[in-house]
Structures are given as C-alpha cells and as structure tokens.
Amino acid sequence: MNANHWFMDSESGTLADVLLCRPEHYSWIPSNDIAIQTLASGRRTNHADMLSQFDELVDALRMADVNCHFMTPQSGMPYEVYTRDSSQTTPFGTVVTRMSRPERRAEEGAVRQFYAPGEIWKTCTQGHIEGGDIHFIRPGLLVIGVSGGRTDEDGARQFADWFIQEGWTCRLIRFPAHFLHLDVIFTMINDDTAIAVTDVLPDADLAWLRAQGIRLLPVSYKEAMNDMGCNVLALGKGRVISPRHSTRINQMMRAEGMEVLTPHLEQFSRGGGSVHCMTMPLRRASLAR
C-alpha cells in the first residue's frame, strides 16, 4: 500500500485525521423520515445555530488531537455536510461510494476533488451503497447495513466482495429503510463494545455480533430516531464524541469508563444525521496485532 494513502481498519482505532464539510448550504429537506417529522412539527433550521454547532464539533475533534480536513461546500448539495456517505476509507485506499438520493449524487464529483487520484482504490458501480452503512469492526471483520434504500443488495455485495477477496469476513445486516443507515441503530464505541437498538436489529445478527466478542449496550427506538443517539464517533483510547442532548446514552458510556465529548448537535439530528454522519475518518491507528 502507498504510504500516502489514507487508512483505517476499524471504527475504534485512534483517530488522527477526519474529513468534514462546513454546512454553508445545509437545510432540512423531506428526504428521510426524521426530517419529514421535524418539518411537520413546524420547526425550521436556524443557520446561525447550525454553524455554531458545527464549530463545536470541530473544536471537540481538535481538543482530541484530530487533524480536520475540509471539503469545499457546494451550493445545491444540502446534505454534503454528511461526509460519511460519499466515500469510505479502507486499509487499501479510498472507495468512492454510489449515493442513492438524487439530491446527493453530485457529491461524488465534489469528493473526488478532495482525494488525490492515487488515493482512490475502488469506485462503486453496482446498485447503491453509502458510508453510513459500512462498519469496519476490526481488521478482517466488516459489517454492511442493507435497507434496500440508501444501500441495496447489489451495492453491498459489490463492496463486500472486494473485501472477501482480501480474506475478510463480511456480514450483511438487513433492517427497515426508514432508519436510513446502519449507523442510526448500531455504532462501535471502542474495540469490543457497540451501542445498538437491540429491539430493532435481527436476533440472528445480535447473536453473530456477540459471537464476535462485541458487547451491545442498548439504545431505545426513540433515542435513535428522535436524538440520533447511536450516531456517535469513537476517537480511540476510550474516548467518544456524542450529541449533548443524548443524556442517558452519554451517562451509560461514562459508566463504562469512557470519556464523552458532547457538542450541541440538535440542528443536525433533527434533519436525520449527527456526528458519525458528519465525519469520514481519513486515518486511524491500526488495530492489527
């Protein structure tokens, strides 16, 4: 592998570099069930609060010694702030994903402008797959969420096949499309622990995850959908960034001995995303022993 390639082989290795996009053009649009419910309640975005909350997230990352890299915001791309979805860092180089929603497809061109040509390992060409559904548990173990919406069977299988060819074990986890992405209902917070909506994930998948040595801390449906409570970012070394309004979940993680950084992120959670969606790790320390 070229030493200049970005690299990650887990969701929990110590985070060194991350890709972000300032929400200059972000707005809630009725493209997912969470935003639809928010708009139906009469709430509207507050641009000043949104920018302030984004700055809080950047401050939290920098306090954790993470180098922040930024894409240039493009008009007409209301969800470009969710950098998790348009590309995926891997142990072998970057993969450019294939977005499902029409209003997000132009993000492929924008993300290609960020990466150097030699950094792109693969480009997804089958079906649809988005980064919020891709979870590197640890070296050699990959999980892909398949809702049939943002990520479908064809997209998931093409991505999985690349890693199966590299000797990885890959599991597809299926769930209802109104959850958007797997990271709305499942996210690793350290090397052997995840927070998950255990009442939603299929029993066979829960049993498989536990068989891999992963502890599952329960999150409720309301916490996941109202607060984006599962959508957190592991920083490594027992640290995590989580929305400040997720008070019970933050207390639960602190009870596990974790350090929890808590920026305000309500303007994003009400639109259907949060800190995991807003961050594409570019470089993590390897968990390979």
Side-chain angles (χ1 to χ4, degrees):
M1 184 187 74
N2 187 318
N4 293 323
H5 281 169
W6 300 116
F7 176 93
M8 63 177 276
D9 59 13
S10 76
E11 280 283 332
S12 58
T14 301
L15 183 61
D17 294 86
V18 71
L19 180 61
L20 303 155
C21 185
R22 190 167 173 80
E24 298 291 348
H25 306 290
Y26 177 78
S27 63
W28 299 335
I29 58 175
S31 64
N32 63 75
D33 283 5
I34 298 168
I36 289 169
Q37 293 302 315
T38 297
L39 292 167
S41 73
R43 295 190 184 103
R44 294 296 181 265
T45 51
N46 181 311
H47 194 65
D49 285 352
M50 182 190 311
L51 294 176
S52 175
Q53 290 178 11
F54 181 81
D55 288 342
E56 281 193 52
L57 171 60
V58 173
D59 287 344
L61 287 161
R62 287 175 171 159
M63 284 175 56
D65 296 322
V66 178
N67 298 311
C68 296
H69 306 258
F70 297 89
M71 292 174 57
T72 301
Q74 307 277 343
S75 62
M77 298 186 194
Y79 276 5
E80 193 180 14
V81 66
Y82 297 134
T83 55
R84 175 72 59 161
D85 296 324
S86 53
S87 65
Q88 177 63 61
T89 308
T90 83
F92 313 110
T94 295
V95 174
V96 176
T97 58
R98 198 161 192 247
M99 308 284 276
S100 171
R101 292 287 306 181
E103 68 272 10
R104 300 202 65 183
R105 290 174 189 160
E107 293 177 37
E108 176 180 343
V111 80
R112 285 185 182 278
Q113 293 176 21
F114 172 79
Y115 294 108
E119 293 172 347
I120 295 175
W121 177 52
K122 301 280 189 182
T123 295
C124 298
T125 59
Q126 304 297 314
H128 297 102
I129 184 166
E130 299 182 357
D133 282 314
I134 300 167
H135 291 253
F136 291 97
I137 304 298
R138 58 176 175 261
L141 190 63
L142 170 66
V143 167
I144 302 175
V146 184
S147 68
R150 303 306 177 97
T151 296
D152 58 26
E153 294 282 342
D154 288 344
R157 290 193 180 282
Q158 181 184 42
F159 194 94
D161 283 347
W162 292 330
F163 287 85
I164 291 169
Q165 291 167 16
E166 298 290 340
W168 285 54
T169 296
C170 302
R171 186 174 181 90
L172 307 188
I173 295 182
R174 296 170 179 83
F175 57 90
H178 75 273
F179 290 108
L180 281 74
H181 293 124
L182 183 61
D183 64 6
V184 175
I185 55 175
F186 171 88
T187 306
M188 298 295 294
I189 60 172
N190 63 31
D191 297 354
D192 62 2
T193 306
I195 54 176
V197 186
T198 52
D199 285 346
V200 169
L201 289 166
D203 288 345
D205 294 315
L206 294 173
W208 182 85
L209 289 164
R210 290 178 175 127
Q212 310 310 310
I214 300 168
R215 297 171 57 239
L216 300 172
L217 305 180
V219 171
S220 73
Y221 177 93
K222 288 183 178 179
E223 288 171 325
M225 293 297 281
N226 294 348
D227 299 334
M228 294 296 288
C230 266
N231 201 262
V232 305
L233 177 69
L235 299 170
K237 299 180 179 177
R239 303 164 301 156
V240 65
I241 300 180
S242 176
R244 182 164 299 189
H245 58 262
S246 296
T247 52
R248 189 200 68 82
I249 295 170
N250 294 339
Q251 290 170 355
M252 177 175 65
M253 291 191 292
R254 288 185 175 116
E256 292 288 318
M258 302 206 60
E259 178 185 352
V260 185
L261 307 180
T262 56
H264 292 91
L265 293 169
E266 296 91 343
Q267 286 290 313
F268 301 97
S269 62
R270 290 171 180 165
S274 194
V275 57
H276 196 270
C277 299
M278 295 162 69
T279 52
M280 168 42 61
L282 294 171
R283 193 181 308 280
R284 289 185 182 271
S286 176
L287 291 190
R289 299 294 185 257

